[in-house]
Amino acid sequence: MKKNLKLIGNPVPRHDALAKAKGEQLYSDDWVMPNMLYGKVLRSKYPAAILRGIDTSKAEALPGVHAVLTAKDVPHNEDISKFGQMRDVGGGFEGLYKVLATGKIRSKSEAIALVAAETEELCEEACKLIEVDYEPTEGVYDPREALKDGAYLVSSEDASNRIMRSKIECGDIDAAWAQCDAIVEGDYFTTPHEHAYIETEGGMGWLDENGVITLRVGVQVLEHYRTVAKIMGLQHTKVRNMSVPMGGGFGGKEDITVETYLALLVTKTRRPVKMIWSREESLETHAKRHPEYLHYKTGATKDGKILAQEVSIVMDGGSYTYLTPWVQMYSTYAAAGPYNTPNVSIVSESAFTNNTFSSANRGFGGPQVNFAHERQMDKLAQKLGLSPVELRRRNLMHNGDPLPTGFIPQGHNALPELLEKVDKALNASPKPERLPDGRKVGRSIACAHTVYGRLTFMHDSSRVSIRLELDGSVTLRAGVPDLGGGQASSLCQIVAEELGLDITDVHPYIMDTHLTPLSGTTTATRQLYMSGNAALKCAGVMKGRLMETASGILGYPVSNLAMGDHKIYLVNDPAVNIPFVKAVANLSNDGGELETITQFNAPFTEVPDLSNIKGQLNPDLTYTCHGVEVAVDEETGEFEILRIIAAIDAGKMINKNSCEGQVEGGAIYHVFWPTHEDLKWEKGITRANSFSTYIMPTAADVPDVETIILESGGGLGPYGAKGVGEPSDNSIAPAVVNAIRDAIGTDLNLNLMPVTPEKILNAIRGVDMEH
């Protein structure tokens, strides 16, 4: 690992920090244009129906309405969802989706028509004037029911509701059960989960003088411009996304949101169009975390060695495929947990239902299975008479241990150290049975491994460009969507470190599909790994050119020179130096190249056999451990979170503040998911469709997060970094519920989310609400 780093690992102010602190950063809803129209989507009244006809004449006749579009107005209404990958994968991973509904209505969120008008109020009025002839049908709302023979078919194009089936097996699971002294089984359910970003989905679009559809939409996948072009029947060069920073994404802006709708409306009206979804629209219609029904059977010897793990997963994909196959792969891959288990059988299935469609959400399939396998660990520990920490200690994977697919992770596994540090911090003082006010106290620890980087059979790549300016500053160009996590600043920090500059000397130009190299999606905790390595590689090329130039001027070999403090200097005598800006000038005068673009490729593998998945699926893993202390009121079932300890091996922090922010934010993002964040789905209808009914944690509900961040240097990212964005939230949810269980002394009512105060109170009273 590189020594004496100046910027890397320190709390360097991000390039966008001042603008955000002063409220000057512009987001999707801040942009306006002269002669601009507003757009709105009319969505289905029913979660399941036959669309018999649409009459738009009254809406079209309304003064101030400039476009009313239905499926017949979409050049290619059905398209394969690509989600930004450069390589066609096939194999059941990609499914058709419709831009606007035809035939069977598949969810209440399905778009029926688009309207563009002079004001938002006119858009609303026009939508009310569109007459839709529905024939309501029964629908299906439980994926387990959807997979049964004779179930209502969500799609008229498919012979069944199954989206995908996959399996992982190792060892001899049947023989292993006979060797187990203790076996525990459990059924679990994890609820859909709202992203709840600061800003909802939205943006604007216009036609430029060359007929290019230009979009200004905050997205996690810039490469969707290709899909928009395909839907519109245009060359890729005829669609441009000049994206903007986002007020959070968490996977919810990984799918296309408003981009296609804007492209259709600006093409029809020849005027700029703006579309911003309301909070209710966002909650009711856009993707949620996949609900999962899970059955776990875990067996161990009497001394606490886990021998067998059998897992069955049924995922609710909702109305269309979207990212379900990809999320399913991650759930299946992580289902056995971070434990060295010799005999494993994991079977996962996903199904269409008439619920709101499911897709990416922070953790991408990992949190659901993590909730179940960490609940299992505490149950097994109780049956064996071991502490939950000791059971984990005896079974955690170590360096060199294979995953159930047979692949041995290449990065460092810090889980044993993380477990010890969290245990020591959480139990630094003996746990009181009760607080002075009478509430019972519970503590728990949960562990996880989470992948970073995309599935390796997608052949992922990223590109970054650097241009040296003659005043000694640097322009960095990268098509990296910035969700607010400091993605662009991390690249600037890497380049500044390598070239011996300050971060303020590196100016990022990002997110423009016409002008920035494509850096891939800001998803799958991949940007630091992929684009960070591309930036490091790119800076190395430019550094080499400058060092050769300085070598010629100073008369010393490159091996004796170093960069720092805006100079290139002799290592043994820094007084012998050339200013950075002068080296740039000489490189330019000599006809040297002042700009370069480099590409970083992830490991490549082939598409796996889904009937028995083997080998490598992801580049590497990040390891986490969370500790929680709660106080439970036995008279009401209410609980309070007293402490949160969040531990992670970051490999190497690039920006200390950003890394700590991700670790703290990840814990808060999931801390109420298993207990409070309930969308209240009822036969395809979202009852909790506002922040007054969808309950999330506030600053008053959680204590300060105590962070433990290791820097093993054992990651595959720049300087040995690992991804932290999604791993940071993965093991907090089971830690919360297991801490409640520790306080009340029973597992009753704690397996099926949401774990409400009513369920907790009835568990204390011995009333089973889950069977």
Side-chain angles (χ1 to χ4, degrees):
M1 187 187 302
K2 184 174 179 178
K3 306 292 185 181
N4 303 319
L5 297 172
K6 178 183 176 183
L7 299 177
I8 299 301
N10 292 319
V12 179
R14 285 161 34 177
H15 77 278
D16 57 354
L18 185 60
K20 289 182 175 178
K22 294 171 67 176
E24 295 174 351
Q25 176 68 64
L26 298 178
Y27 295 92
S28 292
D29 196 18
D30 295 319
W31 297 89
V32 295
M33 292 183 72
N35 205 33
M36 186 180 75
L37 301 173
Y38 293 86
K40 185 167 180 61
V41 185
L42 174 69
R43 299 183 184 274
S44 172
K45 291 171 56 177
Y46 302 98
I50 305 296
L51 182 58
R52 294 298 185 192
I54 307 173
D55 185 348
T56 61
S57 57
K58 292 180 181 177
E60 291 172 315
L62 186 66
V65 172
H66 293 265
V68 181
L69 306 180
T70 62
K72 64 180 174 55
D73 301 301
V74 184
H76 298 281
N77 193 47
E78 292 189 352
D79 192 60
I80 292 178
S81 308
K82 289 294 184 187
F83 303 103
Q85 70 248 33
M86 306 299 177
R87 178 174 184 257
D88 289 339
V89 175
F93 284 92
E94 298 164 339
L96 291 173
Y97 75 98
K98 294 179 181 178
V99 178
L100 295 175
T102 60
K104 271 191 175 182
I105 298 294
R106 297 170 67 156
S107 70
K108 192 174 183 295
S109 62
E110 190 154 9
I112 303 289
L114 305 174
V115 172
E118 295 285 348
T119 66
E120 293 179 271
E121 292 76 15
L122 277 172
C123 285
E124 295 275 0
E125 188 176 349
C127 285
K128 293 176 183 177
L129 292 175
I130 298 173
E131 298 176 356
V132 184
D133 182 8
Y134 299 99
E135 180 187 326
T137 54
E138 55 181 313
V140 62
Y141 306 98
D142 184 323
R144 298 167 299 178
E145 296 298 318
L147 289 170
K148 292 180 179 179
D149 291 340
Y152 173 87
L153 293 178
V154 174
S155 166
S156 57
E157 293 86 11
D158 297 313
S160 79
N161 290 319
R162 178 175 285 110
I163 299 172
M164 191 172 84
R165 188 178 192 273
S166 56
K167 188 173 185 179
I168 294 175
E169 283 192 320
C170 70
D172 187 339
I173 191 75
D174 293 328
W177 297 124
Q179 303 172 43
C180 295
D181 300 307
I183 296 174
V184 295
E185 292 192 64
D187 289 300
Y188 303 92
F189 171 67
T190 62
T191 50
H193 190 200
E194 168 59 25
H195 306 88
Y197 12 70
I198 296 173
E199 61 168 355
T200 60
E201 302 83 349
M204 67 179 305
W206 65 93
L207 288 173
D208 72 9
E209 64 275 11
N210 297 313
V212 173
I213 299 171
T214 305
L215 304 171
R216 186 174 273 136
V217 181
V219 296
Q220 294 181 237
V221 183
L222 280 177
E223 287 83 349
H224 280 322
Y225 78 93
R226 298 172 177 144
T227 302
V228 175
K230 186 174 180 181
I231 290 169
M232 299 300 296
L234 299 172
Q235 290 182 335
H236 291 178
T237 56
K238 290 297 184 180
V239 177
R240 176 185 188 183
N241 192 354
M242 299 172 62
S243 190
V244 292
M246 282 157 277
F250 312 115
K253 293 165 185 173
E254 185 169 343
D255 302 300
I256 287 178
T257 58
V258 301
E259 301 100 296
T260 305
Y261 301 151
L262 289 171
L264 289 163
L265 290 172
V266 301
T267 300
K268 177 68 174 180
T269 64
R270 319 300 290 184
R271 288 173 61 176
V273 179
K274 182 175 182 178
M275 179 183 290
I276 304 292
W277 291 356
S278 68
R279 185 61 69 179
E280 289 76 12
E281 188 174 10
S282 180
L283 278 160
E284 291 181 7
T285 67
H286 198 48
K288 305 294 175 267
R289 170 173 287 131
H290 286 79
E292 292 192 11
Y293 296 85
L294 309 105
H295 180 79
Y296 270 71
K297 181 180 179 182
T298 311
T301 61
K302 59 186 177 183
D303 60 354
K305 175 57 183 172
I306 298 175
L307 295 181
Q309 182 93 279
E310 190 172 78
V311 184
S312 172
I313 304 168
V314 180
M315 301 175 62
D316 186 347
S319 54
Y320 283 96
T321 306
Y322 283 89
L323 287 176
T324 292
W326 312 104
V327 176
Q328 184 172 339
M329 290 292 287
Y330 282 75
S331 273
T332 309
Y333 192 61
Y339 305 106
N340 193 9
T341 308
N343 304 285
V344 172
S345 175
I346 304 164
V347 177
S348 63
E349 292 185 282
S350 52
F352 291 123
T353 67
N354 292 102
N355 294 319
T356 302
F357 74 91
S358 302
S359 196
N361 193 307
R362 191 175 188 178
F364 208 79
Q368 296 97 315
V369 294
N370 182 257
F371 176 77
H373 67 61
E374 291 303 279
R375 291 283 296 119
Q376 283 285 105
M377 291 297 287
D378 275 31
K379 291 180 183 179
L380 183 60
Q382 182 185 27
K383 190 161 189 175
L384 290 168
L386 294 172
S387 77
V389 170
E390 182 58 31
L391 180 64
R392 288 171 172 82
R393 185 180 289 125
R394 296 182 186 185
N395 291 280
L396 282 177
M397 293 177 62
H398 292 73
N399 287 321
D401 289 337
L403 295 165
T405 63
F407 176 68
I408 298 174
Q410 302 301 294
H412 178 65
N413 180 352
L415 258 179
E417 185 179 357
L418 292 171
L419 177 65
E420 299 307 323
K421 285 183 176 294
V422 174
D423 183 36
K424 182 179 179 180
L426 185 64
N427 297 300
S429 60
K431 185 192 78 171
E433 182 178 351
R434 294 181 183 274
L435 295 179
D437 60 13
R439 291 180 297 169
K440 295 203 71 176
V441 176
R443 290 176 179 171
S444 177
I445 290 175
C447 300
H449 60 45
T450 310
V451 301
Y452 64 92
R454 301 176 85 187
L455 293 160
T456 48
F457 58 83
M458 296 179 73
H459 294 197
D460 199 9
S461 60
S462 180
R463 287 144 292 276
V464 169
S465 171
I466 292 173
R467 186 177 72 207
L468 302 176
E469 307 296 349
L470 294 180
D471 64 352
S473 62
V474 177
T475 298
L476 179 147
R477 294 186 301 117
V480 48
D482 198 318
L483 281 71
Q487 286 83 5
S489 276
S490 294
L491 304 186
C492 294
Q493 206 169 332
I494 290 167
V495 171
E497 178 72 52
E498 291 302 303
L499 298 183
L501 305 174
D502 294 326
I503 192 171
T504 52
D505 297 317
V506 182
H507 173 73
Y509 186 81
I510 60 173
M511 297 188 293
D512 186 333
T513 56
H514 269 34
L515 298 179
T516 56
L518 293 177
S519 301
T521 67
T522 300
T523 65
T525 312
R526 66 171 290 281
Q527 278 297 352
L528 179 60
Y529 164 54
M530 294 296 300
S531 297
N533 275 328
L536 186 63
K537 184 178 178 181
C538 195
V541 171
M542 201 58 75
K543 181 178 181 178
R545 293 175 187 171
L546 290 168
M547 295 287 269
E548 289 287 351
T549 298
S551 175
I553 295 170
L554 297 175
Y556 291 94
V558 169
S559 58
N560 290 358
L561 303 178
M563 276 184 168
D565 297 322
H566 300 84
K567 300 180 183 71
I568 302 175
Y569 59 89
L570 186 62
V571 173
N572 293 331
D573 186 1
V576 178
N577 66 73
I578 178 175
F580 181 87
V581 66
K582 185 176 179 181
V584 173
N586 277 271
L587 177 63
S588 176
N589 291 338
D590 292 341
E593 296 180 48
L594 298 183
E595 186 168 9
T596 191
I597 181 171
T598 59
Q599 177 168 316
F600 175 76
N601 294 327
F604 288 176
T605 60
E606 294 307 311
V607 179
D609 175 2
L610 294 179
S611 66
N612 191 11
I613 300 171
K614 296 293 183 185
Q616 183 177 11
L617 291 184
N618 295 89
D620 193 22
L621 299 168
T622 298
Y623 302 88
T624 60
C625 185
H626 282 89
V628 171
E629 182 178 80
V630 302
V632 179
D633 188 328
E634 293 177 285
E635 295 183 357
T636 65
E638 298 283 351
F639 72 92
E640 178 186 1
I641 298 173
L642 303 177
R643 292 182 70 194
I644 298 173
I645 301 170
I648 193 169
D649 174 20
K652 176 63 181 178
M653 289 188 283
I654 301 301
N655 188 307
K656 188 174 186 291
N657 283 348
S658 293
C659 186
E660 289 177 346
Q662 288 293 322
V663 174
E664 294 168 2
I668 302 305
Y669 187 76
H670 268 175
V671 72
F672 270 11
W673 171 45
T675 57
H676 289 71
E677 297 191 44
D678 185 7
L679 285 156
K680 296 181 170 49
W681 280 0
E682 293 180 8
K683 291 192 173 183
I685 297 172
T686 302
R687 298 299 184 189
N689 65 351
S690 72
F691 284 167
S692 64
T693 50
Y694 184 81
I695 308 303
M696 298 178 296
T698 69
D701 298 310
V702 292
D704 290 341
V705 178
E706 305 166 46
T707 60
I708 299 172
I709 301 177
L710 302 184
E711 293 187 275
S712 68
L716 303 185
Y719 310 102
K722 288 174 173 273
V724 301
E726 290 177 284
S728 62
D729 64 9
N730 203 357
S731 45
I732 182 70
V736 170
V737 175
N738 282 341
I740 293 170
R741 181 237 168 262
D742 183 55
I744 66 177
T746 177
D747 280 304
L748 274 180
N749 306 333
L750 304 184
N751 291 344
L752 310 182
M753 295 184 187
V755 179
T756 60
E758 180 186 11
K759 286 185 177 180
I760 295 170
L761 183 60
N762 276 294
I764 294 168
R765 295 170 174 172
V767 179
D768 189 344
M769 296 178 65
E770 294 183 346
H771 296 91

